[in-house]
Amino acid sequence: MQLITNNTSDKSKALVEKIVKKIEGLKKPREKFIISILVLFLSMRGRYTFKGMERYGGSKCEKTYRLQFERSFDFLRFNSELCESELSGDLVLAFAPSYLPKSGKHTPHRGNFWSGCLGKAVKGLEIGGLGVVDMEHNTAFHLESVQTPSPEELNGQGKSLVDHYARVIIDRKGHLAGLSKYLAVDGFFAKKTFVDAISENTPLHLICKLRSDANLKYLYRGPKRKGPGRPKKYDGKVINKNIDKR
């Protein structure tokens, strides 16, 4: 987008205004606040607290920020609009859970989650991070973070972590499919429950590393056996170190 000014802050504000105005349902006061807070995020130092926002924002008090942050905002729509306007057409979606350390006993959704750095499940929080990878520009942009309910909460609902992860994708399939038809995930998601849920409920194609113990079988392509009984479906197990190239 061509801008008249060379000022970085003005460029950021102009870009944010352009995208926010595309989001329906925002009243003028809410629209002005969202624009101001997104530009403010780029200039703040230290921790992002409401008191800090009052200090750097200038025109709004701490209570105003608290009240505004109690209301939801469609960050997925905002970030999707940004990606569509600034990125190339060669995109791949990405999804991965991320562990966040958190002590205390009263934080919502706190539970045992897997930490890749520690190599074990520990107490804390977890978010499911959705992003989009620009293959042409060799970069990636964040789309949305969704907090994961604790395993105890999910068990009470009769759901597993994999069910929750699949639901995160399915509920956002409209926005996601508009960016790319490919979704990249790590080897943890090479599970039938996840693959079937995504393939049956979304138009997305999964890109995933298989687990080391994945049970792969060749499809049978030979002649149909005579006599009663179900036709032969598989033709032996795949040995990764000795692939049958036929």
Side-chain angles (χ1 to χ4, degrees), residues 75-126:
F75 280 102
L76 177 59
R77 172 71 186 280
F78 177 88
N79 290 324
S80 298
E81 292 285 353
L82 175 62
C83 292
E84 289 177 1
S85 64
E86 301 298 320
L87 300 183
S88 71
D90 191 10
L91 305 177
V92 174
L93 299 165
F95 176 77
S98 180
Y99 167 78
L100 301 172
K102 183 69 174 74
S103 58
K105 299 181 179 180
H106 304 289
T107 303
H109 308 314
R110 181 175 175 268
N112 281 318
F113 295 104
W114 179 261
S115 169
C117 295
L118 299 176
K120 61 181 180 180
V122 289
K123 282 285 186 182
L125 304 177
E126 184 185 83

Short mmCIF file of all heavy atoms in Angstrom, two decimals, residues 75-126:
data_model
loop_
_atom_site.label_atom_id
_atom_site.label_comp_id
_atom_site.label_asym_id
_atom_site.label_seq_id
_atom_site.Cartn_x
_atom_site.Cartn_y
_atom_site.Cartn_z
N PHE A 75 -9.57 -11.19 16.27
CA PHE A 75 -8.18 -11.07 15.83
C PHE A 75 -7.90 -11.97 14.63
O PHE A 75 -7.04 -11.65 13.79
CB PHE A 75 -7.23 -11.42 16.97
CG PHE A 75 -7.02 -10.29 17.94
CD1 PHE A 75 -7.67 -10.28 19.16
CD2 PHE A 75 -6.19 -9.23 17.63
CE1 PHE A 75 -7.49 -9.24 20.07
CE2 PHE A 75 -6.01 -8.18 18.52
CZ PHE A 75 -6.65 -8.19 19.74
N LEU A 76 -8.60 -13.10 14.53
CA LEU A 76 -8.39 -13.98 13.38
C LEU A 76 -8.79 -13.26 12.09
O LEU A 76 -8.07 -13.33 11.09
CB LEU A 76 -9.20 -15.27 13.55
CG LEU A 76 -9.13 -16.25 12.38
CD1 LEU A 76 -7.70 -16.69 12.13
CD2 LEU A 76 -10.01 -17.46 12.65
N ARG A 77 -9.91 -12.56 12.12
CA ARG A 77 -10.34 -11.81 10.94
C ARG A 77 -9.36 -10.69 10.62
O ARG A 77 -8.98 -10.48 9.46
CB ARG A 77 -11.74 -11.23 11.20
CG ARG A 77 -12.24 -10.26 10.13
CD ARG A 77 -12.59 -10.96 8.84
NE ARG A 77 -12.92 -10.02 7.78
CZ ARG A 77 -14.11 -9.40 7.65
NH1 ARG A 77 -15.08 -9.66 8.54
NH2 ARG A 77 -14.34 -8.58 6.67
N PHE A 78 -8.90 -9.99 11.66
CA PHE A 78 -7.95 -8.90 11.46
C PHE A 78 -6.65 -9.41 10.84
O PHE A 78 -6.16 -8.87 9.84
CB PHE A 78 -7.66 -8.21 12.79
CG PHE A 78 -6.63 -7.11 12.71
CD1 PHE A 78 -7.02 -5.80 12.41
CD2 PHE A 78 -5.29 -7.37 12.91
CE1 PHE A 78 -6.08 -4.79 12.32
CE2 PHE A 78 -4.34 -6.36 12.82
CZ PHE A 78 -4.74 -5.07 12.53
N ASN A 79 -6.09 -10.47 11.42
CA ASN A 79 -4.83 -11.00 10.92
C ASN A 79 -4.98 -11.63 9.55
O ASN A 79 -4.05 -11.61 8.74
CB ASN A 79 -4.25 -12.00 11.92
CG ASN A 79 -3.76 -11.35 13.19
OD1 ASN A 79 -3.25 -10.24 13.16
ND2 ASN A 79 -3.94 -12.02 14.32
N SER A 80 -6.15 -12.22 9.28
CA SER A 80 -6.39 -12.80 7.95
C SER A 80 -6.41 -11.71 6.88
O SER A 80 -5.85 -11.88 5.79
CB SER A 80 -7.72 -13.56 7.94
OG SER A 80 -7.69 -14.65 8.85
N GLU A 81 -7.06 -10.58 7.20
CA GLU A 81 -7.09 -9.46 6.26
C GLU A 81 -5.68 -8.92 6.01
O GLU A 81 -5.31 -8.57 4.88
CB GLU A 81 -7.99 -8.34 6.81
CG GLU A 81 -9.47 -8.66 6.86
CD GLU A 81 -10.12 -8.62 5.49
OE1 GLU A 81 -9.45 -8.21 4.52
OE2 GLU A 81 -11.30 -8.99 5.39
N LEU A 82 -4.87 -8.87 7.07
CA LEU A 82 -3.49 -8.40 6.94
C LEU A 82 -2.70 -9.34 6.03
O LEU A 82 -1.95 -8.88 5.15
CB LEU A 82 -2.83 -8.31 8.31
CG LEU A 82 -1.34 -7.94 8.35
CD1 LEU A 82 -1.13 -6.56 7.75
CD2 LEU A 82 -0.80 -8.00 9.77
N CYS A 83 -2.87 -10.64 6.23
CA CYS A 83 -2.13 -11.61 5.41
C CYS A 83 -2.55 -11.56 3.95
O CYS A 83 -1.71 -11.63 3.05
CB CYS A 83 -2.36 -13.03 5.96
SG CYS A 83 -1.61 -13.31 7.58
N GLU A 84 -3.85 -11.41 3.71
CA GLU A 84 -4.34 -11.37 2.34
C GLU A 84 -3.83 -10.14 1.58
O GLU A 84 -3.61 -10.20 0.38
CB GLU A 84 -5.87 -11.39 2.33
CG GLU A 84 -6.47 -12.74 2.73
CD GLU A 84 -7.98 -12.70 2.78
OE1 GLU A 84 -8.56 -11.63 2.48
OE2 GLU A 84 -8.59 -13.74 3.10
N SER A 85 -3.62 -9.04 2.32
CA SER A 85 -3.19 -7.82 1.66
C SER A 85 -1.67 -7.70 1.51
O SER A 85 -1.18 -7.01 0.62
CB SER A 85 -3.71 -6.60 2.43
OG SER A 85 -3.15 -6.54 3.73
N GLU A 86 -0.91 -8.40 2.37
CA GLU A 86 0.53 -8.20 2.40
C GLU A 86 1.35 -9.41 1.96
O GLU A 86 2.52 -9.25 1.61
CB GLU A 86 0.97 -7.80 3.82
CG GLU A 86 0.31 -6.53 4.34
CD GLU A 86 0.65 -5.32 3.50
OE1 GLU A 86 1.80 -5.18 3.07
OE2 GLU A 86 -0.28 -4.51 3.26
N LEU A 87 0.78 -10.62 1.99
CA LEU A 87 1.56 -11.82 1.68
C LEU A 87 1.33 -12.29 0.26
O LEU A 87 0.41 -11.84 -0.42
CB LEU A 87 1.20 -12.94 2.67
CG LEU A 87 1.45 -12.66 4.14
CD1 LEU A 87 1.12 -13.89 4.98
CD2 LEU A 87 2.88 -12.22 4.40
N SER A 88 2.17 -13.21 -0.18
CA SER A 88 2.03 -13.77 -1.52
C SER A 88 0.89 -14.79 -1.51
O SER A 88 0.28 -15.06 -0.48
CB SER A 88 3.34 -14.45 -1.95
OG SER A 88 3.55 -15.64 -1.20
N GLY A 89 0.64 -15.40 -2.66
CA GLY A 89 -0.42 -16.40 -2.74
C GLY A 89 0.06 -17.80 -2.41
O GLY A 89 -0.73 -18.74 -2.34
N ASP A 90 1.37 -17.98 -2.17
CA ASP A 90 1.94 -19.29 -1.89
C ASP A 90 2.02 -19.50 -0.38
O ASP A 90 3.07 -19.31 0.24
CB ASP A 90 3.33 -19.38 -2.53
CG ASP A 90 3.88 -20.80 -2.50
OD1 ASP A 90 3.11 -21.73 -2.17
OD2 ASP A 90 5.08 -20.98 -2.82
N LEU A 91 0.89 -19.87 0.25
CA LEU A 91 0.78 -19.93 1.71
C LEU A 91 0.47 -21.34 2.20
O LEU A 91 -0.20 -22.12 1.51
CB LEU A 91 -0.32 -18.98 2.19
CG LEU A 91 -0.20 -17.51 1.77
CD1 LEU A 91 -1.41 -16.73 2.27
CD2 LEU A 91 1.09 -16.90 2.29
N VAL A 92 0.95 -21.64 3.40
CA VAL A 92 0.63 -22.90 4.09
C VAL A 92 0.24 -22.56 5.52
O VAL A 92 0.94 -21.81 6.20
CB VAL A 92 1.83 -23.86 4.09
CG1 VAL A 92 1.52 -25.09 4.93
CG2 VAL A 92 2.21 -24.27 2.68
N LEU A 93 -0.88 -23.09 5.98
CA LEU A 93 -1.31 -22.89 7.36
C LEU A 93 -0.50 -23.76 8.30
O LEU A 93 -0.01 -24.84 7.91
CB LEU A 93 -2.80 -23.23 7.50
CG LEU A 93 -3.76 -22.41 6.66
CD1 LEU A 93 -5.13 -23.09 6.60
CD2 LEU A 93 -3.89 -21.00 7.20
N ALA A 94 -0.32 -23.32 9.53
CA ALA A 94 0.42 -24.10 10.53
C ALA A 94 -0.30 -24.03 11.86
O ALA A 94 -0.86 -23.00 12.22
CB ALA A 94 1.85 -23.58 10.66
N PHE A 95 -0.29 -25.14 12.59
CA PHE A 95 -0.91 -25.19 13.91
C PHE A 95 -0.01 -25.98 14.85
O PHE A 95 0.50 -27.05 14.50
CB PHE A 95 -2.29 -25.86 13.86
CG PHE A 95 -2.93 -26.03 15.21
CD1 PHE A 95 -3.51 -24.95 15.85
CD2 PHE A 95 -2.93 -27.26 15.85
CE1 PHE A 95 -4.10 -25.09 17.10
CE2 PHE A 95 -3.51 -27.42 17.10
CZ PHE A 95 -4.09 -26.33 17.72
N ALA A 96 0.21 -25.42 16.05
CA ALA A 96 1.03 -26.13 17.05
C ALA A 96 0.68 -25.64 18.44
O ALA A 96 0.54 -24.43 18.66
CB ALA A 96 2.52 -25.89 16.79
N PRO A 97 0.50 -26.55 19.41
CA PRO A 97 0.30 -26.15 20.80
C PRO A 97 1.62 -25.64 21.39
O PRO A 97 2.70 -26.09 21.00
CB PRO A 97 -0.14 -27.45 21.48
CG PRO A 97 -0.48 -28.39 20.38
CD PRO A 97 0.37 -27.99 19.23
N SER A 98 1.52 -24.70 22.34
CA SER A 98 2.70 -24.13 22.97
C SER A 98 2.48 -24.02 24.48
O SER A 98 1.48 -23.46 24.93
CB SER A 98 3.02 -22.75 22.38
OG SER A 98 4.16 -22.19 22.98
N TYR A 99 3.41 -24.57 25.24
CA TYR A 99 3.31 -24.56 26.70
C TYR A 99 3.76 -23.21 27.28
O TYR A 99 4.72 -22.60 26.81
CB TYR A 99 4.17 -25.68 27.29
CG TYR A 99 4.38 -25.57 28.79
CD1 TYR A 99 3.38 -25.96 29.68
CD2 TYR A 99 5.57 -25.07 29.30
CE1 TYR A 99 3.57 -25.85 31.05
CE2 TYR A 99 5.77 -24.96 30.66
CZ TYR A 99 4.77 -25.35 31.53
OH TYR A 99 4.96 -25.24 32.89
N LEU A 100 3.02 -22.73 28.31
CA LEU A 100 3.37 -21.49 29.00
C LEU A 100 3.47 -21.79 30.50
O LEU A 100 2.50 -22.27 31.09
CB LEU A 100 2.30 -20.41 28.78
CG LEU A 100 2.02 -19.99 27.34
CD1 LEU A 100 0.82 -19.07 27.29
CD2 LEU A 100 3.23 -19.32 26.74
N PRO A 101 4.61 -21.55 31.12
CA PRO A 101 4.73 -21.80 32.56
C PRO A 101 3.84 -20.86 33.36
O PRO A 101 3.75 -19.67 33.06
CB PRO A 101 6.21 -21.56 32.85
CG PRO A 101 6.67 -20.65 31.75
CD PRO A 101 5.86 -21.02 30.55
N LYS A 102 3.14 -21.39 34.35
CA LYS A 102 2.26 -20.56 35.20
C LYS A 102 2.09 -21.25 36.54
O LYS A 102 1.66 -22.39 36.62
CB LYS A 102 0.89 -20.37 34.54
CG LYS A 102 -0.04 -19.45 35.33
CD LYS A 102 0.47 -18.02 35.28
CE LYS A 102 -0.51 -17.04 35.93
NZ LYS A 102 -0.50 -17.15 37.40
N SER A 103 2.44 -20.54 37.61
CA SER A 103 2.25 -21.08 38.96
C SER A 103 0.90 -20.61 39.51
O SER A 103 0.16 -19.91 38.83
CB SER A 103 3.39 -20.61 39.86
OG SER A 103 3.44 -19.20 39.90
N GLY A 104 0.62 -20.97 40.74
CA GLY A 104 -0.67 -20.58 41.33
C GLY A 104 -1.69 -21.69 41.18
O GLY A 104 -1.49 -22.67 40.47
N LYS A 105 -2.82 -21.51 41.85
CA LYS A 105 -3.85 -22.55 41.85
C LYS A 105 -5.20 -22.08 41.30
O LYS A 105 -6.13 -22.88 41.20
CB LYS A 105 -4.05 -23.07 43.28
CG LYS A 105 -2.81 -23.71 43.89
CD LYS A 105 -3.10 -24.23 45.28
CE LYS A 105 -1.86 -24.88 45.89
NZ LYS A 105 -2.12 -25.39 47.27
N HIS A 106 -5.32 -20.80 40.98
CA HIS A 106 -6.63 -20.27 40.60
C HIS A 106 -6.67 -19.74 39.17
O HIS A 106 -7.66 -19.12 38.77
CB HIS A 106 -7.03 -19.17 41.57
CG HIS A 106 -7.05 -19.60 43.01
ND1 HIS A 106 -8.01 -20.45 43.51
CD2 HIS A 106 -6.22 -19.33 44.05
CE1 HIS A 106 -7.78 -20.68 44.80
NE2 HIS A 106 -6.69 -20.00 45.15
N THR A 107 -5.62 -19.97 38.38
CA THR A 107 -5.61 -19.53 36.99
C THR A 107 -6.50 -20.44 36.15
O THR A 107 -6.36 -21.66 36.20
CB THR A 107 -4.18 -19.55 36.42
OG1 THR A 107 -3.34 -18.75 37.24
CG2 THR A 107 -4.15 -19.02 35.00
N PRO A 108 -7.44 -19.87 35.39
CA PRO A 108 -8.33 -20.70 34.56
C PRO A 108 -7.56 -21.59 33.59
O PRO A 108 -6.57 -21.16 32.99
CB PRO A 108 -9.17 -19.67 33.81
CG PRO A 108 -9.13 -18.45 34.67
CD PRO A 108 -7.77 -18.44 35.30
N HIS A 109 -7.99 -22.83 33.47
CA HIS A 109 -7.47 -23.82 32.51
C HIS A 109 -6.05 -24.27 32.81
O HIS A 109 -5.37 -24.82 31.93
CB HIS A 109 -7.55 -23.28 31.08
CG HIS A 109 -8.90 -22.76 30.69
ND1 HIS A 109 -10.07 -23.45 30.96
CD2 HIS A 109 -9.27 -21.61 30.06
CE1 HIS A 109 -11.09 -22.76 30.50
NE2 HIS A 109 -10.64 -21.64 29.97
N ARG A 110 -5.56 -24.04 34.02
CA ARG A 110 -4.22 -24.51 34.38
C ARG A 110 -4.25 -26.02 34.59
O ARG A 110 -5.15 -26.56 35.23
CB ARG A 110 -3.73 -23.82 35.64
CG ARG A 110 -2.32 -24.23 36.09
CD ARG A 110 -1.87 -23.40 37.27
NE ARG A 110 -0.59 -23.85 37.80
CZ ARG A 110 -0.45 -24.73 38.78
NH1 ARG A 110 -1.53 -25.24 39.34
NH2 ARG A 110 0.75 -25.09 39.20
N GLY A 111 -3.28 -26.72 34.02
CA GLY A 111 -3.22 -28.17 34.14
C GLY A 111 -1.87 -28.69 33.69
O GLY A 111 -0.93 -27.93 33.48
N ASN A 112 -1.78 -30.00 33.54
CA ASN A 112 -0.54 -30.63 33.08
C ASN A 112 -0.51 -30.64 31.55
O ASN A 112 -1.37 -31.26 30.92
CB ASN A 112 -0.44 -32.07 33.61
CG ASN A 112 0.01 -32.12 35.06
OD1 ASN A 112 0.90 -31.38 35.45
ND2 ASN A 112 -0.61 -32.96 35.84
N PHE A 113 0.50 -29.97 30.98
CA PHE A 113 0.66 -29.92 29.54
C PHE A 113 2.09 -30.28 29.17
O PHE A 113 3.02 -30.09 29.95
CB PHE A 113 0.32 -28.53 29.00
CG PHE A 113 -1.12 -28.14 29.18
CD1 PHE A 113 -1.49 -27.25 30.18
CD2 PHE A 113 -2.10 -28.67 28.35
CE1 PHE A 113 -2.82 -26.89 30.35
CE2 PHE A 113 -3.43 -28.32 28.52
CZ PHE A 113 -3.79 -27.43 29.52
N TRP A 114 2.25 -30.77 27.96
CA TRP A 114 3.58 -31.19 27.51
C TRP A 114 4.45 -29.98 27.18
O TRP A 114 4.04 -29.08 26.46
CB TRP A 114 3.46 -32.08 26.28
CG TRP A 114 4.80 -32.53 25.76
CD1 TRP A 114 5.50 -32.00 24.72
CD2 TRP A 114 5.58 -33.60 26.27
NE1 TRP A 114 6.68 -32.67 24.55
CE2 TRP A 114 6.76 -33.66 25.49
CE3 TRP A 114 5.41 -34.52 27.31
CZ2 TRP A 114 7.76 -34.61 25.72
CZ3 TRP A 114 6.40 -35.46 27.54
CH2 TRP A 114 7.56 -35.50 26.74
N SER A 115 5.66 -29.99 27.72
CA SER A 115 6.66 -28.96 27.42
C SER A 115 7.76 -29.59 26.59
O SER A 115 8.46 -30.50 27.06
CB SER A 115 7.24 -28.37 28.71
OG SER A 115 8.37 -27.56 28.43
N GLY A 116 7.93 -29.11 25.36
CA GLY A 116 8.97 -29.66 24.50
C GLY A 116 10.36 -29.36 25.02
O GLY A 116 11.28 -30.18 24.87
N CYS A 117 10.55 -28.19 25.65
CA CYS A 117 11.87 -27.82 26.19
C CYS A 117 12.27 -28.73 27.35
O CYS A 117 13.43 -29.14 27.46
CB CYS A 117 11.87 -26.36 26.64
SG CYS A 117 11.65 -25.17 25.30
N LEU A 118 11.30 -29.03 28.23
CA LEU A 118 11.59 -29.87 29.39
C LEU A 118 11.49 -31.36 29.09
O LEU A 118 12.00 -32.19 29.83
CB LEU A 118 10.65 -29.51 30.54
CG LEU A 118 10.72 -28.07 31.07
CD1 LEU A 118 9.68 -27.84 32.14
CD2 LEU A 118 12.12 -27.75 31.60
N GLY A 119 10.80 -31.68 28.00
CA GLY A 119 10.65 -33.08 27.63
C GLY A 119 9.72 -33.86 28.53
O GLY A 119 9.83 -35.09 28.65
N LYS A 120 8.77 -33.19 29.16
CA LYS A 120 7.81 -33.86 30.03
C LYS A 120 6.59 -32.96 30.23
O LYS A 120 6.61 -31.78 29.88
CB LYS A 120 8.45 -34.18 31.38
CG LYS A 120 8.91 -32.95 32.15
CD LYS A 120 9.55 -33.35 33.48
CE LYS A 120 10.02 -32.11 34.25
NZ LYS A 120 10.64 -32.50 35.55
N ALA A 121 5.53 -33.52 30.80
CA ALA A 121 4.31 -32.76 31.09
C ALA A 121 4.47 -32.07 32.45
O ALA A 121 4.84 -32.71 33.43
CB ALA A 121 3.10 -33.67 31.10
N VAL A 122 4.21 -30.79 32.50
CA VAL A 122 4.34 -30.02 33.74
C VAL A 122 3.14 -29.08 33.88
O VAL A 122 2.42 -28.80 32.92
CB VAL A 122 5.65 -29.20 33.75
CG1 VAL A 122 6.85 -30.10 33.92
CG2 VAL A 122 5.80 -28.38 32.47
N LYS A 123 2.94 -28.59 35.10
CA LYS A 123 1.84 -27.68 35.39
C LYS A 123 2.04 -26.35 34.69
O LYS A 123 3.14 -25.78 34.68
CB LYS A 123 1.73 -27.45 36.90
CG LYS A 123 1.08 -28.57 37.67
CD LYS A 123 -0.42 -28.58 37.47
CE LYS A 123 -1.09 -29.63 38.37
NZ LYS A 123 -2.56 -29.68 38.15
N GLY A 124 0.97 -25.83 34.12
CA GLY A 124 1.04 -24.53 33.46
C GLY A 124 -0.15 -24.33 32.56
O GLY A 124 -1.22 -24.92 32.78
N LEU A 125 0.01 -23.50 31.55
CA LEU A 125 -1.04 -23.20 30.58
C LEU A 125 -0.58 -23.64 29.19
O LEU A 125 0.59 -23.90 28.96
CB LEU A 125 -1.36 -21.71 30.56
CG LEU A 125 -1.75 -21.06 31.88
CD1 LEU A 125 -1.96 -19.56 31.69
CD2 LEU A 125 -3.02 -21.70 32.45
N GLU A 126 -1.53 -23.70 28.28
CA GLU A 126 -1.20 -24.03 26.90
C GLU A 126 -2.08 -23.25 25.94
O GLU A 126 -3.26 -23.02 26.21
CB GLU A 126 -1.38 -25.53 26.64
CG GLU A 126 -0.95 -25.95 25.23
CD GLU A 126 -1.24 -27.41 24.94
OE1 GLU A 126 -2.40 -27.71 24.55
OE2 GLU A 126 -0.33 -28.24 25.08
#
